[in-house]
Amino acid sequence: MYLQRIWLLSGLRRRESVIPINWPDILIVGSWIIFLYMIMMILVYGGMLILSLSQIRKIYQLDEYEPYEELLQSEYTKPVSILVPAYNESVGIYGSIRSLLSIEYPEYEIIIINDGSTDDTLEKLMDKFQLKKINRVYRKQLESKRIKGVYQSAIHPHLVVLDKENGGKADALNAGINCSRYPYFCSLDGDSIIERHAFLKVLKPIIESDDEVIASGGSVRIANGCDIQNGELKSVGLSNNPIVLMQVIEYLRAFLTGRVGLSSNNLLLIVSGAFGVFSKKWVVEAGGYTHTVGEDMELVVRLHRYVKEQKVNKKITYVPDPVCWTEAPDSIKYLRRQRKRWHRGLFESLWKHKKVMFNPKYGSIGLFSMPYFFFIEFLGPLVELIGYILLIVSIFTGSIQIQYALLFFLLSLIYGSVYSMAAVLLEEWSMEKYPKVKHFTTLFLMSLTETLWYRPLTVIWRVEGMIEAIFGKKGWGEMVRKGVSND
């Protein structure tokens, strides 16, 4: 009886000490935190947009008068090795190589790395380009899987194909670097189509910097809907698929209003794996490519880190005009896989180099770039998703006033659709890659709808990628190529 009385009294005390949770107040406080975070993102992106506007216009006005033809004859123009890793790229590989064979550049070699393809990629290359097996001596500076054979085209002597065991994209690029003969290399996707003057433009900052610039990236645009014949872009077009159209807008925003602003202050952490030029010396010294989902970003972060540790002044730049056209996913299924993979790659790069975060030793990279990519790019989708959930719960529970809901929608509209519209306008104002009025009108009107359907989808997918990254999921996931070139 005595023990029972003590137990009852202690239970009463516990119940008396419990503080009731006031859910309406928690929802309101949470909503305001989300609002403040979104306002911070809008201010950051707004600042980058202003930087991009001034920088792109300045570059564009200069480029109208740039003597690119002189670079073809200049003794200072750097020879470049073009590396194209290919795994099951049979559908688009022929058109991609044809586009590379037609570029205007004084001295270059093309190295296709067949990374253990299980389709007829190698057979197609051997048939189309009359490949003959050769003995080629190369210096193994970076680790890679075994090379099974080296082939050279009988009709294009500067075209070489490496046939190797499967090791992933990073491994293939390391093998290509080992085999390359020139001091600079360019990494390209196997389904890419390059404009004729693209290499002259993307290498121009490297040529003029006296080796101060160690990497330079160009723009990537969506090829779906374009007229591409035998690897040559005949005319620019747009797909009728809303999923593809939204990706066109998304790419414009990412490249024109994002990377330009970061590059102008040497804060760029991404040079797209679809089109980027690197100094081989610095990449080898930094350790080459590593096997991560986002190997392109990881390499750029490591290069920044390495040059800071070596206490040398080097730059990584982005040039908006040189364009590489690539195939985009045209279904929800494959787009979802791509976005989840991209977000996992972002997490891997940030986690692997977490030592750089807020570290003054690494200058503006540690104090601005790394925090920006973590708090804005990585955590942004999670915060935005929580905002959507809080908004829905609050409306149904009646715990939030209608003005709060309208404010959240307005911030979402600015963060999504308004910046997308600004990117479309910036494209029309400067690059003019989409020449028809119909193209501009279509993209502009589609950008108005982004907040209503496309952005919520990508937010959910990126949060899924975040969860997969935390639980250590590996691999790229299957992607189906349909090909963009009519061979």
Side-chain angles (χ1 to χ4, degrees), residues 391-412:
L391 180 63
I392 294 170
V393 171
S394 299
I395 290 174
F396 279 100
T397 59
S399 59
I400 190 169
Q401 296 179 7
I402 190 65
Q403 56 262 38
Y404 296 153
L406 291 173
L407 179 59
F408 180 82
F409 178 77
L410 179 62
L411 292 176
S412 300

Side-chain angles (χ1 to χ4, degrees), residues 277-319:
V277 177
F278 298 86
S279 165
K280 184 165 73 172
K281 170 184 177 294
W282 286 97
V283 169
V284 170
E285 287 185 11
Y289 287 90
T290 58
H291 188 65
T292 61
V293 177
E295 75 290 322
D296 46 1
M297 178 178 179
E298 195 283 325
L299 174 62
V300 174
V301 177
R302 188 151 32 86
L303 282 172
H304 275 298
R305 181 175 176 177
Y306 182 73
V307 298
K308 291 292 184 183
E309 291 170 351
Q310 298 301 309
K311 298 181 179 179
V312 293
N313 183 29
K314 299 294 179 182
K315 293 181 179 179
I316 296 175
T317 65
Y318 164 70
V319 185

Side-chain angles (χ1 to χ4, degrees), residues 344 347 464-474:
R344 280 192 286 128
F347 175 79
E464 287 179 348
M466 185 185 300
I467 295 169
E468 290 179 353
I470 292 171
F471 284 94
K473 181 176 179 179
K474 304 294 182 182

Side-chain angles (χ1 to χ4, degrees), residues 207-272:
I207 296 168
E208 295 181 341
S209 72
D210 194 24
D211 296 329
E212 183 182 14
V213 175
I214 60 173
S216 178
S219 293
V220 179
R221 299 287 165 82
I222 304 300
N224 307 49
C226 296
D227 181 17
I228 299 173
Q229 303 286 341
N230 294 322
E232 183 178 355
L233 180 69
K234 297 294 185 181
S235 63
V236 174
L238 290 175
S239 170
N240 294 321
N241 188 332
I243 292 291
V244 175
L245 286 173
M246 290 309 304
Q247 290 177 79
V248 172
I249 296 167
E250 201 175 20
Y251 274 53
L252 291 177
R253 187 177 65 228
F255 283 93
L256 293 184
T257 67
R259 298 189 187 183
V260 171
L262 292 170
S263 173
S264 62
N265 293 284
N266 197 28
L267 297 171
L268 192 65
L269 293 190
I270 299 177
V271 171
S272 176

